[in-house]
Amino acid sequence: MGRKGKMLELTHAATSEDLLASSLTRPLLEKFDKYWRDCCLVLAIAVVMDPRFKMKLVEFSFSKIYGEGGEAWTKMVDDATHELFLEYITLTLPEATTFEEVAGNDNDSKTETEMPEPDGASLLSSADGCFNF
């Protein structure tokens, strides 16, 4: 079960009318939220680096998890990815200081090329939670 399913179960139990269930699960929900906030950026950047998914899977997943609030989380991942890229470039090319200098001012160069899907097997399966994507 993915993060959303576990989160829904914890939220349901934490808001339950059963005092025992809610008193036991409320601290778990708070810890789950804390640890999720601490690690979701790193996990999302790893997804962005995957040439199969890029930013599209992050946008899709965060819209499912957070609804309308997903845009803010997606922007956070996008900003962090660009910041990481700039830090990397600065270490390798110290004279380049901004993303525009590194990437050039050509806005048309931002088009993504589509990766062909391998014959006979889909990269997305229901087992890894990406079936709907």
Side-chain angles (χ1 to χ4, degrees):
M1 182 181 314
R3 184 233 181 237
K4 185 177 181 181
K6 290 176 183 167
M7 185 65 148
L8 288 175
E9 284 184 26
L10 282 174
T11 302
H12 181 68
T15 58
S16 171
E17 292 182 16
D18 182 353
L19 295 178
L20 179 61
S22 65
S23 67
L24 291 174
T25 55
R26 191 170 292 120
L28 292 174
L29 180 62
E30 290 170 6
K31 286 182 182 182
F32 190 89
D33 279 341
K34 178 194 177 295
Y35 291 121
W36 172 251
R37 283 190 304 271
D38 290 347
C39 71
C40 79
L41 181 61
V42 173
L43 295 173
I45 289 174
V47 170
V48 172
M49 298 296 176
D50 188 328
R52 297 173 297 171
F53 305 125
K54 301 182 183 177
M55 205 54 194
K56 296 294 182 191
L57 182 58
V58 172
E59 292 167 353
F60 175 80
S61 299
F62 282 174
S63 70
K64 291 286 187 187
I65 293 171
Y66 299 111
E68 291 181 18
E71 291 178 17
W73 285 88
T74 301
K75 182 175 178 355
M76 178 185 70
V77 172
D78 189 50
D79 292 347
T81 305
H82 283 93
E83 186 178 323
L84 182 64
F85 175 73
L86 287 175
E87 184 177 329
Y88 172 77
I89 290 299
T90 302
L91 292 174
T92 57
L93 301 171
E95 65 276 355
T97 57
T98 66
F99 181 73
E100 288 77 21
E101 289 178 25
V102 173
N105 291 330
D106 185 16
N107 290 334
D108 294 333
S109 66
K110 292 182 181 180
T111 59
E112 295 180 8
T113 58
E114 290 190 26
M115 298 281 294
E117 190 170 314
D119 293 334
S122 173
L123 295 173
L124 305 173
S125 68
S126 60
D128 62 11
C130 294
F131 184 74
N132 290 332
F133 176 69

